[in-house]
Amino acid sequence: MNIREPDHLNLLCDMGDLTAIVAGDSDIETFLERTTILVAKHLKAHVCSIYLAGSRSGDLVLNATRGLNPDAVRQVRMKPGEGLVGKCFSTGKILREGNARKTPGFKYFDNAGEDPFNSFLCVPIQRGMTRIGVLVVQHEEIDHFTLFDERTLKTAVTQLAGAIENARLLMGLSPEENGQPPKGGTQQGLPVFIKGKSDSSGAAYGMVRSSKKNRKAMLSEPDTSGTAYTMEDFKAALDKTLKDLKDLQEKFASSLPESASLIFTAHFMMLKDKNFTGKMESLIAAGESPARAIQRMAGKYIGIFSASPHAYLREKAVDVEDLGIRLLSNLKASQEASAPGKGSIVVAEDLYPSDVLKLTADGIKGIILAGGGVTSHVTILARSLDLPLIIADDPVLLDLPDDTTLLMDTAQGNIYINPDRKTLDLFSAQRDAEKKSVPHDILDETFTRDNEKIRLLANINLLSELRLAKELKSEGIGLYRTEFPFLIRPGFPSEDEQYLIYKKLFDQVRPHHTTTIRTLDAGGEKTLSYAGLAKEPNPALGLRSIRFALKYREVFDTQVRAILRAALGKQNIRLMFPLISSIDEFLDAKQVVMDCARDLDREGIAHNADIDIGMMIELPAVLSTIDEFAGLADFFAVGTNDFIQYMVGADRANKLVTDHYIPHHPAVCRGIRTIAKAAQAKGIDVSVCGEMAHDPVHIPFLIGAGISTLSVDPKFIPKTQQVVMNLSLKAAREYARELLAQSSIRGTAKVMAAQSWK
Ligand code: PEP
Ligand code: MG
């Protein structure tokens, strides 16, 4: 068989790049044309064509081709069901024919120049429940396309579907109706569409409320208020600020425990600080105007903090800024524009985390950040609040008039400006179809076809994700990443703050379900800017994870104490350490837990140390002593994201080495089998909680290799369950044996390509 896997990987990467650059100014024709060129090149096909269904007539129209007669574009058309192309479209099934011209139903278009092509592979382009068109590749040689080509093309087309649908929405693509090239363009000088990035979910449609003004300027602009405000006004502003913050904190205390309690700690302290607000009062008493007094004191502390060599102090300048602006706004409340209304979309250059909470409480529908330097905290907050947020560094956004309507589609990162009726209709039809495609018949437990139980757990980062995990019937939490409370604040959260968060987590998971909490995995790609660490030349190999925790014992002890206290009265709590590299390190970390339990005992503080202690397997270094580890740990959790990265030496986040980051590398496969065998021999649970665990291509191998627990992001649970239910353990074992017998990437790729399940 002709195996061309490196090229297939390149195709997928190129598709990713291509879809990422479909922006407002690139026209659909160019995009489709580039797609056909790329697909033809990587699949070594003589022809690649894209047929799209007209939004009114439903006819399939040749929209782009590489290899057929270019004059046939927009001329060749067929009804769904007509010819092989129409059949693929109407059935929604992939068609792979070794000799298409001999296949019943083949339809020949003499103006297209199809005569010499025998092999034919046609894949439907589908978005949610909506079928948009088909992509066809052809080759002169009989039986040219393989099953592997078929799978790769299917994946590539899945990537493409969003961009094509997107382009149809954008440009009202219905070329066959008017025979004209699609319109791109602008409306009254405004673009139709702006492309951004989004890490949140959902969509929003509403009127713009722009926060054009650089709010930071309030702190330095000349004070023209003179004697307009008095000491009473200042005190009222102080009270109002305190009340606003308390209200916000209360409002979000239960839904967002990680954020609400932590965001405002510094604000409350400063509001009562003699050297800050106390000094403002003294200045006003001495004749300074209240506005100027606020500006002076805020300016002074911003200056001091910003000049600090310590990153965590520099970040405190942000809190002072936020507070200074709040005080000034409350002082001048009567002169300020009204707050963004319910249902509006806020466009701002940047926002503080506290602003995001405030705006959410005001009932806004979404946020667009149009400035550079957006902090990850704001993004994470928006995600946990289910608030659509798009980051688009385009100055046009800040100048949009306030009556502009916007449509935000976070799935694509798209912002449609004054979308027309047709765009809105297409968009809502697409959303309805997506909703319909969510399976509703999820089972409480997951078994293979031959009745082998596979436990499906959830990975969560935020407590707010628990809801979906429960709704989708996860059997517990396989990985709770504790980093968020450490990221949201410019300082380490206290023991009590952490205790409240962990208790909430343990309280919310059903008692008979497992909750696996991972100790702080700081460093690497999860940098704590305030930790005061020197910038590392190679953070992935630096002071990260358990190494950081063991070096900064106070930080580690605080967290472990909070976990043990929160576990009081609970069962099925599991604690695990990330990035363990040696038996010594594991024993040291375990000793910390025992020391913390002993200290809590001595201090008479109630806790529960009767919990399972396990480890993440992420470093190849543990493989040679894995049997001994299995005798010491209560469970293993394989973090394949890192395990692959370290096994093959390819950065998990570096696009340049995506081709080298190969989950089916024999070393990775054999490593996983070794881990599973060691766990089975000692009777301990072994789960996989990296991205591999939800990938249908890899699930059969994992199960066949002896992994009986998969932990995945909640949204992947239904799909993962379906894949597991469709396979038998017996066949999965046979398949894993075949894969493990291979010593090369080509070999494993070949076995994968031949696997019969989808
Ligand atoms: C992993 O490495 O696979 C893992 C689950 O941990 P994280 O992605 O948080 O590093
Ligand atoms: Mg990891």
Side-chain angles (χ1 to χ4, degrees):
M1 199 195 307
N2 183 11
I3 294 292
R4 304 184 294 268
E5 67 279 4
D7 241 89
H8 286 65
L9 279 173
N10 286 335
L11 169 65
L12 298 181
C13 293
D14 285 351
M15 282 300 158
D17 286 349
L18 190 59
T19 50
I21 56 164
V22 185
D25 55 0
S26 90
D27 66 84
I28 178 76
E29 285 176 320
T30 316
F31 165 68
L32 294 177
E33 212 177 290
R34 280 201 227 161
T35 304
T36 55
I37 294 171
L38 277 181
V39 173
K41 179 180 128 201
H42 289 299
L43 262 70
K44 299 196 170 45
H46 291 136
V47 175
C48 175
S49 315
I50 294 177
Y51 296 79
L52 295 181
S55 48
R56 267 171 273 161
S57 68
D59 283 359
L60 283 164
V61 180
L62 177 66
N63 264 265
T65 186
R66 176 73 171 176
L68 294 186
N69 179 2
D71 293 338
V73 170
R74 302 268 162 82
Q75 302 307 316
V76 168
R77 62 170 57 208
M78 64 205 75
K79 298 267 172 231
E82 193 184 347
L84 296 183
V85 166
K87 184 174 165 195
C88 169
F89 180 76
S90 59
T91 58
K93 295 219 164 77
I94 298 178
L95 278 184
R96 181 160 58 95
E97 299 297 343
N99 194 348
R101 289 190 301 162
K102 297 237 165 88
T103 308
F106 176 74
K107 181 161 181 189
Y108 177 72
F109 290 91
D110 53 358
N111 56 343
E114 280 186 302
D115 341 16
F117 307 114
N118 292 300
S119 285
F120 175 96
L121 171 59
C122 181
V123 179
I125 308 172
Q126 178 123 1
R127 176 103 171 109
M129 305 273 284
T130 317
R131 216 161 288 145
I132 303 166
V134 298
L135 187 144
V136 181
V137 285
Q138 292 172 276
H139 197 281
E140 281 181 22
E141 196 181 279
I142 290 177
D143 288 333
H144 174 79
F145 298 113
T146 65
L147 186 62
F148 197 45
D149 292 329
E150 182 181 315
R151 294 231 166 91
T152 311
L153 201 57
K154 190 175 157 204
T155 313
V157 166
T158 309
Q159 285 187 34
L160 267 182
I164 292 180
E165 179 65 355
N166 203 4
R168 274 162 50 106
L169 282 172
L170 277 182
M171 298 169 186
L173 179 78
S174 52
E176 90 286 18
E177 267 92 4
N178 53 23
Q180 298 297 317
K183 296 198 290 290
T186 61
Q187 32 167 354
Q188 294 136 24
L190 291 176
V192 178
F193 153 86
I194 288 175
K195 183 95 185 152
K197 279 191 301 199
S198 182
D199 211 13
S200 60
S201 58
Y205 175 59
M207 209 87 108
V208 166
R209 285 290 174 269
S210 149
S211 148
K212 229 181 298 175
K213 190 160 146 187
N214 179 355
R215 296 186 322 141
K216 283 183 199 164
M218 282 181 88
L219 291 171
S220 53
E221 64 200 8
D223 172 35
T224 51
S225 64
T227 54
Y229 303 109
T230 62
M231 177 69 96
E232 278 60 48
D233 293 328
F234 171 73
K235 287 195 174 155
L238 210 56
D239 289 347
K240 172 91 173 52
T241 306
L242 192 64
K243 182 171 178 314
D244 287 351
L245 295 173
K246 275 197 176 142
D247 286 352
L248 278 180
Q249 192 179 41
E250 262 165 39
K251 188 165 168 55
F252 291 99
S254 58
S255 59
L256 270 181
E258 306 106 319
S259 328
S261 60
L262 303 180
I263 285 177
F264 300 116
T265 325
H267 291 65
F268 287 132
M269 275 163 46
M270 280 190 286
L271 272 175
K272 291 181 183 147
D273 194 329
K274 284 202 307 294
N275 291 317
F276 188 60
T277 48
K279 196 73 205 286
M280 289 175 192
E281 266 191 61
S282 323
L283 286 170
I284 299 166
E288 188 78 275
S289 83
R292 184 74 199 115
I294 297 170
Q295 284 180 328
R296 269 183 65 179
M297 291 315 298
K300 177 178 165 184
Y301 281 96
I302 291 169
I304 293 173
F305 288 139
S306 308
S308 168
H310 301 292
Y312 77 97
L313 281 178
R314 284 200 299 277
E315 290 223 358
K316 281 209 183 303
V318 175
D319 285 337
V320 181
E321 242 171 51
D322 185 18
L323 203 54
I325 292 164
R326 282 176 179 280
L327 283 169
L328 280 172
S329 303
N330 281 331
L331 181 74
K332 302 177 178 179
S334 55
Q335 294 172 10
E336 284 294 303
S338 60
K342 209 173 150 94
S344 57
I345 290 178
V346 171
V347 179
E349 211 169 339
D350 59 6
L351 289 174
Y352 300 111
S354 65
D355 293 328
V356 178
L357 294 189
K358 165 96 178 55
L359 292 167
T360 308
D362 289 343
I364 61 149
K365 281 198 174 160
I367 293 179
I368 295 172
L369 290 176
V374 173
T375 67
S376 57
H377 312 165
V378 169
T379 322
I380 298 173
L381 252 187
R383 251 183 63 196
S384 61
L385 287 164
D386 259 344
L387 183 72
L389 176 137
I390 294 182
I391 299 163
D393 195 0
D394 191 323
V396 168
L397 287 163
L398 288 168
D399 289 322
L400 290 175
D402 266 4
D403 59 349
T404 315
T405 52
L406 294 182
L407 173 65
M408 296 171 64
D409 173 8
T410 57
Q412 301 292 330
N414 289 347
I415 304 161
Y416 302 92
I417 299 171
N418 288 328
D420 59 15
R421 191 69 258 155
K422 196 169 151 203
T423 305
L424 289 172
D425 288 348
L426 271 167
F427 184 76
S428 68
Q430 184 187 316
R431 297 262 299 164
D432 287 349
E434 272 162 16
K435 268 189 219 143
K436 274 188 214 141
S437 67
V438 175
H440 293 291
D441 50 348
I442 309 158
L443 303 176
D444 290 341
E445 290 186 80
T446 308
F447 293 92
T448 59
R449 277 206 333 250
D450 45 358
N451 235 6
E452 190 69 20
K453 160 118 188 175
I454 301 295
R455 215 156 48 122
L456 296 191
L457 305 180
N459 293 345
I460 60 166
N461 307 309
L462 302 166
L463 295 187
S464 56
E465 290 167 298
L466 273 171
R467 190 184 45 79
L468 188 62
K470 273 190 189 170
E471 230 172 81
L472 298 176
K473 315 254 178 87
S474 89
E475 291 191 60
I477 303 301
L479 167 64
Y480 172 60
R481 295 183 169 98
T482 53
E483 286 74 59
F484 180 62
F486 290 80
L487 287 169
I488 193 70
R489 283 290 311 142
F492 291 105
S494 70
E495 182 179 317
D496 283 348
E497 284 167 334
Q498 291 185 61
Y499 162 76
L500 290 174
I501 297 166
Y502 305 149
K503 177 154 171 20
K504 192 138 195 131
L505 168 74
F506 298 155
D507 281 347
Q508 285 183 23
V509 179
R510 295 192 176 93
H512 62 288
H513 279 168
T514 302
T515 313
T516 316
I517 183 164
R518 177 177 76 185
T519 58
L520 184 64
D521 190 24
E525 80 287 353
K526 308 171 187 106
T527 319
L528 305 179
S529 56
Y530 57 83
L533 299 170
K535 210 164 168 43
E536 294 179 278
N538 203 345
L541 301 183
L543 188 61
R544 61 166 295 204
S545 287
I546 195 68
R547 301 170 185 174
F548 175 90
L550 286 170
K551 183 171 165 80
Y552 296 99
R553 275 292 301 273
E554 214 177 293
V555 177
F556 196 22
D557 286 2
T558 305
Q559 183 176 43
V560 171
R561 284 169 62 100
I563 294 172
L564 297 182
R565 284 173 55 200
L568 183 68
K570 307 285 177 207
Q571 286 156 16
N572 301 314
I573 305 292
R574 312 199 301 181
L575 178 148
M576 66 181 176
F577 310 117
L579 212 78
I580 290 290
S581 64
S582 65
I583 296 272
D584 315 63
E585 200 166 43
F586 180 69
L587 291 177
D588 285 350
K590 217 171 149 176
Q591 187 60 45
V592 171
V593 181
M594 291 190 280
D595 290 349
C596 286
R598 186 204 54 216
D599 291 347
L600 287 167
D601 263 340
R602 276 199 205 130
E603 294 162 35
I605 298 175
H607 64 279
N608 173 16
D610 186 19
I611 58 176
D612 280 353
I613 298 183
M615 58 185 274
M616 288 198 69
I617 306 230
E618 299 181 289
L619 293 173
V622 301
L623 289 181
S624 51
T625 47
I626 198 72
D627 295 330
E628 287 88 339
F629 273 113
L632 294 168
D634 294 324
F635 64 95
F636 288 158
V638 190
T640 44
N641 304 342
D642 276 317
F643 187 66
I644 300 167
Q645 147 167 285
Y646 291 117
M647 185 59 105
V648 302
D651 183 344
R652 62 195 251 185
N654 183 345
K655 276 186 119 182
L656 295 174
V657 290
T658 311
D659 285 3
H660 297 272
Y661 188 92
I662 301 172
H664 58 273
H665 191 295
V668 175
C669 298
R670 291 182 187 191
I672 291 173
R673 174 62 188 142
T674 305
I675 298 161
K677 236 163 93 178
Q680 278 168 349
K682 290 287 189 314
I684 65 169
D685 181 53
V686 54
S687 63
V688 168
C689 59
E691 299 296 315
M692 234 177 137
H694 70 80
D695 190 334
V697 171
H698 300 302
I699 292 172
F701 166 72
L702 294 177
I703 295 195
I707 303 291
S708 53
T709 306
L710 300 173
S711 191
V712 302
D713 280 5
K715 63 173 182 282
F716 295 127
I717 291 175
K719 190 183 76 184
T720 308
Q721 183 172 70
Q722 249 165 21
V723 176
V724 173
M725 281 165 45
N726 278 335
L727 58 92
S728 81
L729 180 66
K730 189 163 171 281
R733 280 188 178 146
E734 185 49 44
Y735 168 65
R737 250 193 303 277
E738 256 184 79
L739 207 69
L740 290 164
Q742 304 303 317
S743 54
S744 67
I745 301 165
R746 267 169 203 281
T748 53
K750 196 168 168 179
V751 173
M752 283 168 71
Q755 67 168 306
S756 55
W757 38 64
K758 289 212 172 135

